[in-house]
């Protein structure tokens, strides 16, 4: 029994696993070709240098740590090409990240500008229809005229502004031609964008 235990201890001291979980006997064989099915004798497993790298691990590295990995893998780029390319891809991703973020911001800014212009055009059309449809084109009451209020602001401002400064004629007009607030307009635009999707589905 004692002899069997001693044998197991000797084996344990002479064997080790690499990071891929392979038994390497003796440990000095870590730098020799791997004959498992993953490499078929074509690649080596240098100590602590996996052929493939976990993506979460790569993303957890600091820039300095990633640079060290680049240096380590560049020595084995011929035998550990996949890992080397993974590191280069992660480095490129970090380099591109600020550019992509700026592009997303620019795209969002352009979208807001376009939507603001479209809403402005819509309220302009509402204003023109009201001015042409109301007898005499009187849109402001006396308080609005004295305060120098822009009659167009009654088509985009809060309801209390309409209650305070709109003429009776404009209030009647709004009763049959409801104002399109920005929130309502945005909701209508979203519904119109979803309509083609529902038709396709």
């Amino acid at each position: 029994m004692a002899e069997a235990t001693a044998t197991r201890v000797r084996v344990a001291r002479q064997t080790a696993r690499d990071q891929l979980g392979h038994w390497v006997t003796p440990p000095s064989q870590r730098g020799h070709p791997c004959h498992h099915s993953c490499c078929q004798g074509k690649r080596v497993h240098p100590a602590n240098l996996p052929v493939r790298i976990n993506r979460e691990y790569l993303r957890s590295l600091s820039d300095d740590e990633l640079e060290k990995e680049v240096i380590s893998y560049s020595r084995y780029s011929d035998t550990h090409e996949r890992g080397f390319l993974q590191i280069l891809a992660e480095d490129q991703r970090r380099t591109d990240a600020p550019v992509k973020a700026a592009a997303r911001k620019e795209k969002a800014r352009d979208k807001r500008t376009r939507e603001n212009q479209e809403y402005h055009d819509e309220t302009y059309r509402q204003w023109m229809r009201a001015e042409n449809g109301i007898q005499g084109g009187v849109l402001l009451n006396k308080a609005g005229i004295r305060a120098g209020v822009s009659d167009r602001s009654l088509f985009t401002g809060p309801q209390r502004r309409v209650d305070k400064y709109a003429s009776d004629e404009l209030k009647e007009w709004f009763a049959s031609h409801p104002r399109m607030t920005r929130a309502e307009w945005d909701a209508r635009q979203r519904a119109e964008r979803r309509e083609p999707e529902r038709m396709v589905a």
Side-chain angles (χ1 to χ4, degrees), residues 20 39 43-45 49-53 73 79-84 86:
L20 294 182
C39 297
R43 293 182 288 194
V44 297
H45 289 306
L49 200 65
V51 174
R52 291 174 292 181
I53 308 173
Y73 273 82
T79 59
H80 289 62
E81 183 180 15
R82 182 169 180 175
F84 184 58
Q86 282 182 279

Side-chain angles (χ1 to χ4, degrees), residues 128-139:
M128 289 297 295
R129 284 194 295 268
E131 194 171 55
N132 293 328
I134 294 175
Q135 186 69 29
V138 179
L139 306 182

Side-chain angles (χ1 to χ4, degrees), residues 36 43 48 71 78 84 93 101-102 110 115 117 134 137 141 143 150 175 185 192 201:
H36 291 84
R43 293 182 288 194
N48 303 317
I71 294 171
D78 55 339
F84 184 58
R93 185 189 71 82
D110 290 345
E115 290 176 345
Q117 184 59 49
I134 294 175
N141 59 21
S150 167
W185 186 84
E192 289 179 355

Side-chain angles (χ1 to χ4, degrees), residues 8 19 48 70 95 101-102 124 127 159 173 175-176 195:
R8 284 199 297 271
Q19 284 195 357
N48 303 317
V70 171
T95 301
Y124 177 78
W127 173 65
Q159 181 60 41
W173 173 269
S176 56
E195 187 62 30

Side-chain angles (χ1 to χ4, degrees), residues 19-190:
Q19 284 195 357
L20 294 182
H22 299 159
W23 285 110
V24 180
T25 308
S28 61
Q29 292 299 307
R30 283 179 175 171
H32 290 262
C34 169
H35 290 281
H36 291 84
S37 60
C38 59
C39 297
Q40 298 177 351
K42 298 177 182 178
R43 293 182 288 194
V44 297
H45 289 306
N48 303 317
L49 200 65
V51 174
R52 291 174 292 181
I53 308 173
N54 182 277
R55 189 175 72 167
E56 285 69 27
Y57 165 74
L58 275 178
R59 295 201 171 187
S60 71
L61 297 178
S62 67
D63 290 342
D64 289 340
E65 291 169 335
L66 186 65
E67 182 63 27
K68 290 178 182 177
E69 292 284 8
V70 171
I71 294 171
S72 296
Y73 273 82
S74 63
R75 299 170 185 154
Y76 300 96
S77 59
D78 55 339
T79 59
H80 289 62
E81 183 180 15
R82 182 169 180 175
F84 184 58
L85 293 177
Q86 282 182 279
I87 294 172
L88 294 183
E90 173 62 17
D91 185 60
Q92 189 63 49
R93 185 189 71 82
R94 297 186 187 193
T95 301
D96 293 344
V99 176
K100 290 182 177 179
R104 285 194 298 270
K105 288 182 180 179
E106 182 67 24
K107 184 177 180 179
R109 187 161 48 246
D110 290 345
K111 181 181 177 183
R112 287 195 299 271
T113 300
R114 185 176 64 255
E115 290 176 345
N116 287 339
Q117 184 59 49
E118 289 173 353
Y119 177 65
H120 174 83
D121 294 343
E122 176 61 24
T123 56
Y124 177 78
R125 287 190 289 269
Q126 291 177 352
W127 173 65
M128 289 297 295
R129 284 194 295 268
E131 194 171 55
N132 293 328
I134 294 175
Q135 186 69 29
V138 179
L139 306 182
L140 294 169
N141 59 21
K142 292 180 180 179
I145 295 172
R146 283 196 302 271
V149 172
S150 167
D151 52 14
R152 284 191 62 181
S153 68
L154 301 178
F155 292 79
T156 58
Q159 181 60 41
R160 63 178 179 275
R161 190 173 181 82
V162 175
D163 297 338
K164 185 174 182 180
Y165 296 124
S167 66
D168 292 337
E169 293 83 356
L170 181 56
K171 290 176 182 177
E172 291 179 8
W173 173 269
F174 282 146
S176 56
H177 303 81
R179 295 191 316 149
M180 179 69 71
T181 66
R182 180 58 188 266
E184 292 169 342
W185 186 84
D186 286 342
R188 187 180 73 175
Q189 295 302 304
R190 286 193 297 271

